Amino acid sequence: MDVEKIAEEIRAAIGKDKVVTDSFHSMTYSRDWSPRPSTETHLPSIVVRPRTTDDVSKAVSIANRHEIPVVTAAGLTGMGGGAVPIDGCIVIDSKGLDKVIEVDPENLTVTTQVGITVLKLNEELSKYDLWWPHDPESKPSSTVGAAISCDNDSTFGIKYGKIGDYLLNLVLVTGTGDIVRFGHRKALCSSTGYKLHWLMINAEGTLGVITECTLKIFPIPKERRIEAIIFPSVKNAIQGLIRVLQAGLCIESAHVNCKKRLGFYTHAYRMKHGKDPEIPEWAAALLFISFGGDEEVVDFSQKYCLKLLNEHGGQRVKEVDLTGSWWKSKHTLEFEPFNQKWPDSQRQKKFGAADLGIPIGRIEEAYEKYLYFTEKHQIDVLGMCVYMQRPNRIGPSISFAVFVNDMDPDEVKHFYAYVKDMSKMAVDLEGTMSTYIGDGDRLGGFNQYEHGKAIDYMLQIKKVFDPNNILNPGKKFESKWIKDE
Ligand SMILES: Cc1cc2nc3c(=O)[nH]c(=O)nc-3n(C[C@H](O)[C@H](O)[C@H](O)COP(=O)(O)OP(=O)(O)OC[C@H]3O[C@@H](n4cnc5c(N)ncnc54)[C@H](O)[C@@H]3O)c2cc1C
């Protein structure tokens, strides 16, 4: 392949300043946040930085004609290797697609290019007193396009849900460079056609490059309160939440942490105050919860919720700093140096996770197996957090988190052996292998254990959108790390 000739062709089509080929710039795209040693970083031959859908279409058409792989990259905070280049590929850096096209306050929708970060989009919407409640911790860097492509979790999942609850339509550039809008204008409910916009949820850049989308948005709640409640078991916390929803209360966020993860917050408290918070020995689970709305409603919800949770063995945590450290790490991101879990832990070792969906009745069983598999593979436990991710129901997305030193190739191997055992266990417990990271280059191939013959149908669908298999080839369907021997 004559890289310079093809780069020139793309420059002629979309403009000189939007195409780079030097290794200095290419290096910055060589990896994402998935645990991988430096031997597993890869360089693209050409980086394209489009500003419009038309730019993307022209670049992909040229790539398709020459049958060169195309990898779409965004904030590179993905944890599954989805945006890691295939050697010699063209990387489409979507971050320049960052314009908000229309805010429609009357119909509560926003139409935007998708390379904008989640944080920036919300800064724009706040000018109208509106917000998009999708709220990952990575929001300063992660983009709207990746939120669709990875089906990410949000702090506010139990009230607002996931991307499928917001996505009205999107514009896709297919593997042939065709530009198609999928979805239903500004209607959230429709029974016409096929819901092909939803097919792009979790497609991880294998079916097309998403360039624009229209999302449902909401008025910013006037008042917010946060609470932390300890329980004698994870089961008690979940039963308490079921009761809260049964009572008709609408809560904004609900995260159930295991005892190990509770240790993070007590650690942060100890670092700040030089003493332990008052947490009794029996505490085996910690529920963080938030309420948003009008003051009277929040007031009532908070009191009634605490009463119901108390009936299920819950005890309110009095130390506001402990409760606050959750909110800072999840939502406001006001990290206090050396007092928060992220900066300290990330300096030494990387955060890695098996992100499983487990039926609620089997979470404690899964937790026991998590402790067993971390010991088996000699991995440091960070802790389990059960994030509720469906509106007004108990829809768990569970992070079974560990620490990985990815400067050590052996530790990376142990990590993926752990992910493999955990993923298999999730399917055996009638759950799913991934809830927010995606297949990327880790679960592909092995995910046949979950999907069986359905994988053949998925590959047929891929052919429709990408006949020459240039879009993120291998991702989702092959694994670098996990083999099914
Ligand atoms: C510190 C930290 C905290 C995190 N917190 C959360 C969290 O709270 N919740 C959560 O769910 N995840 C979280 N993540 C994971 C990560 O942020 C998400 O997976 C996010 O979607 C990645 O966004 P990105 O813009 O960095 O995408 P990238 O990593 O660049 O890409 C991710 C995937 O999306 C594809 N893609 C990106 N843009 C497009 C597009 N326009 N069209 C087609 N395909 C596209 C890429 O090809 C790739 O497969 C966290 C990660 C880190 C490092």
Side-chain angles (χ1 to χ4, degrees):
M1 165 174 94
D2 185 340
V3 172
E4 265 316 315
K5 210 166 148 216
I6 294 164
E8 267 316 306
E9 210 180 316
I10 304 175
R11 283 189 190 105
I14 68 171
K16 265 209 265 205
D17 55 326
K18 296 176 190 161
V19 183
V20 290
T21 51
D22 64 284
S23 49
F24 176 74
H25 282 100
S26 300
M27 278 294 268
T28 57
Y29 298 90
S30 63
R31 63 168 302 154
D32 65 358
W33 261 72
S34 52
R36 58 185 61 232
S38 52
T39 47
E40 279 302 336
T41 55
H42 298 274
L43 289 188
S45 290
I46 302 172
V47 175
V48 177
R49 293 172 175 158
R51 311 291 298 183
T52 64
T53 300
D54 206 44
D55 288 347
V56 175
S57 165
K58 285 177 176 150
V60 173
S61 300
I62 294 168
N64 187 42
R65 196 157 7 92
H66 294 283
E67 296 196 18
I68 304 171
V70 171
V71 176
T72 307
L76 294 172
T77 65
M79 294 167 64
V84 175
I86 292 144
D87 281 327
C89 75
I90 295 177
V91 156
I92 305 262
D93 177 351
S94 60
K95 288 196 302 298
L97 297 165
D98 61 353
K99 302 279 168 300
V100 175
I101 297 164
E102 183 202 54
V103 180
D104 180 347
E106 197 181 1
N107 291 306
L108 291 175
T109 64
V110 60
T111 301
T112 181
Q113 289 186 310
V114 300
I116 191 166
T117 64
V118 174
L119 186 69
K120 182 81 184 131
L121 177 60
N122 269 321
E123 279 167 12
E124 292 299 316
L125 293 175
S126 68
K127 295 174 190 163
Y128 303 82
D129 221 9
L130 296 168
W131 71 318
W132 180 41
H134 177 67
D135 192 63
E137 277 176 66
S138 52
K139 63 192 166 186
S141 305
S142 66
T143 58
V144 173
I148 301 170
S149 301
C150 300
D151 199 5
N152 289 143
D153 280 355
S154 160
T155 298
F156 300 102
I158 197 167
K159 180 162 179 188
Y160 299 98
K162 283 198 166 225
I163 189 73
D165 299 292
Y166 308 104
L167 187 64
L168 295 159
N169 64 66
L170 55 77
V171 173
L172 187 83
V173 174
T174 69
T176 56
D178 210 12
I179 301 172
V180 196
R181 185 179 290 276
F182 295 111
H184 312 290
R185 276 71 181 177
K186 293 181 180 176
L188 194 53
C189 302
S190 165
S191 36
T192 73
Y194 292 133
K195 291 185 172 36
L196 295 185
H197 57 313
W198 282 357
L199 183 60
M200 300 309 142
I201 297 177
N202 196 214
E204 297 180 79
T206 60
L207 298 179
V209 184
I210 305 162
T211 58
E212 287 178 28
C213 70
T214 303
L215 302 164
K216 200 81 199 153
I217 51 176
F218 297 80
I220 296 175
K222 292 183 178 152
E223 173 79 13
R224 173 167 294 139
R225 309 260 171 85
I226 54 174
E227 288 286 357
I229 302 106
I230 46 169
F231 287 89
S233 72
V234 169
K235 191 171 181 178
N236 278 66
I238 294 195
Q239 290 301 321
L241 274 176
I242 293 173
R243 175 71 190 99
V244 166
L245 296 184
Q246 182 194 23
L249 292 175
C250 180
I251 44 181
E252 247 195 345
S253 49
H255 303 173
V256 181
N257 294 263
C258 72
K259 189 161 189 148
K260 299 248 180 210
R261 205 137 173 164
L262 160 64
F264 253 131
Y265 296 100
T266 52
H267 167 77
Y269 185 93
R270 201 178 308 119
M271 296 295 284
K272 186 163 179 187
H273 296 278
K275 60 170 190 176
D276 281 312
E278 275 178 45
I279 302 289
E281 240 336 279
W282 56 260
L286 172 66
L287 168 67
F288 286 116
I289 199 162
S290 80
F291 310 87
D294 283 8
E295 196 179 341
E296 295 92 318
V297 178
V298 168
D299 222 31
F300 171 79
S301 306
Q302 186 182 17
K303 284 192 191 110
Y304 201 70
C305 184
L306 286 172
K307 170 180 151 345
L308 294 179
L309 294 176
N310 187 259
E311 287 165 13
H312 282 79
Q315 181 181 305
R316 183 170 181 259
V317 173
K318 290 191 203 78
E319 284 88 348
V320 285
D321 269 343
L322 193 144
T323 315
S325 66
W326 165 64
W327 203 242
K328 283 177 185 169
S329 71
K330 286 290 162 198
H331 180 59
T332 60
L333 307 184
E334 293 157 353
F335 297 116
E336 295 167 271
F338 304 103
N339 280 341
Q340 292 293 330
K341 59 190 169 96
W342 284 119
D344 280 352
S345 58
Q346 294 298 298
R347 252 183 217 108
Q348 295 143 15
K349 282 192 169 195
K350 213 178 179 92
F351 158 87
D355 58 316
L356 311 180
I358 304 284
I360 47 174
R362 307 191 80 173
I363 292 176
E364 297 215 314
E365 204 178 331
Y367 184 65
E368 289 306 315
K369 297 213 162 113
Y370 161 56
L371 298 181
Y372 168 75
F373 286 132
T374 44
E375 198 175 322
K376 173 180 163 192
H377 297 292
Q378 297 151 41
I379 302 265
D380 280 355
V381 175
L382 193 158
M384 173 184 79
C385 184
V386 184
Y387 299 99
M388 299 305 171
Q389 292 297 322
R390 304 307 316 185
N392 285 314
R393 66 204 71 163
I394 306 295
S397 164
I398 312 183
S399 180
F400 292 93
V402 294
F403 288 115
V404 200
N405 173 10
D406 71 353
M407 307 294 273
D408 175 354
D410 270 348
E411 206 163 307
V412 176
K413 269 194 207 142
H414 286 283
F415 169 69
Y416 285 107
Y418 156 77
V419 173
K420 179 177 178 178
D421 275 344
M422 290 292 283
S423 304
K424 187 167 180 301
M425 177 264 289
V427 178
D428 293 343
L429 293 181
E430 299 178 280
T432 178
M433 291 182 181
S434 177
T435 49
Y436 68 88
I437 295 178
D439 297 302
D441 68 359
R442 49 177 208 141
L443 296 178
F446 182 60
N447 57 11
Q448 188 128 23
Y449 190 72
E450 176 169 347
H451 295 290
K453 197 176 169 189
I455 294 279
D456 298 343
Y457 284 77
M458 292 181 201
L459 287 166
Q460 290 296 324
I461 288 171
K462 178 156 167 65
K463 269 197 190 142
V464 173
F465 287 88
D466 179 25
N468 288 326
N469 192 27
I470 62 161
L471 295 173
N472 228 352
K475 307 287 174 64
K476 271 188 117 54
F477 300 105
E478 287 164 35
S479 176
K480 265 195 169 53
W481 307 102
I482 298 174
K483 308 285 174 207
D484 191 17
E485 29 334 282

